[in-house]
Amino acid sequence: MKYKKLEESLLYDGSPIEPFWAFKEFKVKGSSILAWIGPMEIKPEELIDYEDVGLEIKSNKMIHFIIEHFDIQPADIKTCYHRQRLFVMIVKDILSELGIKTTRSGDDIYFEGRKLSVSIATCSNSSMKIHFGMNVKDEGTPDDVETIGLLECRKDLDYKKIQLLVDKISESYIKEIDSIEEDITKTKVF
């Protein structure tokens, strides 16, 4: 699985969840995780979660992760959601190591009851896709949701530490996926 951290501040508008986005935009071929810091604003017609129809999904500054898997054909939505939850739990564990004690409800992470993240999982005929976004600052988020950003969770965080956090999360997920693949190859099946 490949990892690419984008230096540019892209707007997450929902289009990166489309299949082959990493390849079409950045020539990253195969299973991958791309990460960057940038704003998010999803127009109602771009929403793919039926529960979110009519809601505002936006933030001025988030860490974005786009994960795409091609290893199961045809792509499987249940496996995709399992991987999404695995990713969310990895993020939660790494935040805990930093002293940021969060809670999880499904694919959402909260700090002191305030929403820190958003996520969606979906499939195409060829791949499984996950978007996970985590607020850096509590600015530009919907008025009807109590939100928080990483910089409010721990006052000594800065952008250099956040960049290291992005790397650690991405590398930990890849390591976990690789470990599962290795375990599959050494297990006797009856």
Side-chain angles (χ1 to χ4, degrees):
M1 189 166 200
K2 300 172 184 96
Y3 168 49
K4 181 174 180 70
K5 185 162 53 174
L6 307 177
E7 299 304 321
E8 54 197 289
S9 175
L10 299 175
L11 167 69
Y12 182 85
D13 61 0
S15 61
I17 202 75
E18 294 173 6
F20 298 101
W21 178 81
F23 180 63
K24 289 188 283 188
E25 296 294 325
F26 300 100
K27 304 300 180 216
V28 177
K29 190 176 180 183
S31 295
S32 63
I33 180 168
L34 274 64
W36 74 94
I37 295 175
M40 178 175 70
E41 185 165 1
I42 304 174
K43 293 183 168 72
E45 63 271 14
E46 299 297 328
L47 291 171
I48 60 173
D49 187 333
Y50 288 118
E51 284 187 343
D52 292 339
V53 172
L55 298 178
E56 286 186 301
I57 311 274
K58 62 182 185 168
S59 177
N60 286 356
K61 191 166 285 200
M62 298 187 96
I63 302 169
H64 297 280
F65 298 90
I66 285 289
I67 301 165
E68 187 164 26
H69 287 278
F70 291 93
D71 59 329
I72 297 174
Q73 297 297 320
D76 176 58
I77 192 73
K78 191 170 191 177
T79 300
C80 189
Y81 269 99
H82 280 262
R83 288 176 175 175
Q84 177 200 39
R85 299 293 168 90
L86 175 65
F87 185 84
V88 170
M89 287 186 247
I90 288 168
V91 172
K92 186 178 181 317
D93 285 349
I94 291 172
L95 292 176
S96 181
E97 290 170 12
L98 290 173
I100 301 172
K101 303 295 183 202
T102 61
T103 57
R104 179 183 68 86
S105 177
D107 58 13
D108 293 321
I109 296 177
Y110 295 83
F111 180 79
E112 296 178 351
R114 295 168 68 186
K115 198 165 193 266
L116 182 60
S117 69
V118 296
S119 188
I120 188 67
T122 191
C123 287
S124 69
N125 289 335
S126 58
S127 69
M128 295 175 276
K129 296 289 301 261
I130 300 164
H131 170 254
F132 180 86
M134 189 163 39
N135 291 320
V136 175
K137 290 183 172 184
D138 181 27
E139 295 174 355
T141 58
D143 294 332
D144 60 340
V145 180
E146 287 290 321
T147 60
I148 194 163
L150 282 172
L151 295 177
E152 289 90 29
C153 294
R154 185 166 163 179
K155 301 298 181 197
D156 65 337
L157 276 181
D158 58 25
Y159 282 97
K160 184 177 181 182
K161 289 178 184 173
I162 287 175
Q163 292 293 342
L164 295 173
L165 175 67
V166 170
D167 291 336
K168 185 169 185 177
I169 290 168
S170 300
E171 290 161 4
S172 296
Y173 180 75
I174 292 170
K175 184 177 176 184
E176 196 68 41
I177 293 297
D178 288 346
S179 174
I180 291 168
E181 292 296 321
E182 286 177 20
D183 285 349
I184 289 169
T185 65
K186 70 174 182 65
T187 305
K188 186 176 182 179
V189 178
F190 298 95

